[in-house]
Amino acid sequence: MHTNNIKIREISSGSPQASSSRSPQEWQSILSHAVTEPEELLNTLGLNPDLLPGAVTASQSFRIRVPHTYIARMEHGNPDDPLLKQVLPISDEMVEAPGFSHDPLGEQPKNSQRGIIHKYQGRLLLMPGSLCAVNCRFCFRRHFPYDDNKLNKEEWQSALEYIRQDASLKEVILSGGDPLVQNDRRLKWLIEELANIPHLQRLRIHTRLPVIIPQRVTDDLVNSLTSTRLKSVVVIHSNHPNEIDHTVSAALSRLYRAGVQLLNQSTLLKGINDNAETLAELSEVLFHNHVMPYYLHLLDKVQGAAHFEVSEEQARKLVGDMSQFCSGYLVPKLARETAGMPSKTIISPTYHSI
């Protein structure tokens, strides 16, 4: 690995120059043609059909969804590809693991208002929808009751009124479901409505779309994020340096040039990014693309994802070892989110003297 010479992967889905001239509707077409059947994913990548029975069984409780733009960055014929392992259902998901639950962060008791999760002082989470561009197999909301949080026109107004009435709120976080699955017209309306609430200062968007379908970063989206008084923060979710190709680089550059603050959060995943060199390379690639490493999350203990878990002891050592490979400001904060706590818990790395 040579983190001093950043190399952004070339794939056939496009170049930075081409991305800005694409149709605004291209991302919607890519999303609508995402792979939703395990057999298609295995066939596309030339993988062993013996993987199919477990994938079919696991996808019945949490459906597979992965766009071709993401599949294009996976290694053909490699069942251990780090991007594939994030999205391929396997039989391990069906094992009931002690200490894992359907609501590991205790969100449902804080979901008393439809479309809103209000856990922390000064900020709340607003859910524009339930759909994601990709269904990550470690998703902590894989069991979340999204059907109970769909908002009609009247309920949208109720949610906005809830925010207006709480003057302690400084920041609204759009999450869900991926908020950028919403079309540009709907997002523009929502952002303008939030900007009209005087006590709000920031809009934060948690999204995988710029990584999974970079064509989502349209002119209209960039304009919506930068045309109000609110400071826009986009928190992407990338777990491995192979996720950042030329099309992703171009999308991130467009957001950065427009003045959007870019952060990244990752999840520490066994067999995917649980080594210091990979984590350091990810931080280098992100920073090269104007994104600051933000959080490295210990796995949320959601039922169905126990096979991804990395112990806290190992995680502390990994983050400590990252300092051997990259500058200190590129080391993300190791964090755990615990139900009922007033904020995330920051975990100190373990450093070893040489």
Side-chain angles (χ1 to χ4, degrees), residues 240-260:
H240 195 278
N242 289 359
E243 293 180 323
I244 313 296
D245 71 353
H246 277 285
T247 60
V248 177
S249 180
L252 296 173
S253 182
R254 293 183 73 192
L255 290 167
Y256 170 77
R257 291 197 309 269
V260 176

Side-chain angles (χ1 to χ4, degrees), residues 1 29 114 188 257 326 328 330 334 345 349:
M1 180 192 71
S29 177
R114 286 175 71 94
K188 177 180 174 62
R257 291 197 309 269
C326 63
L330 296 182
L334 179 63
T345 301

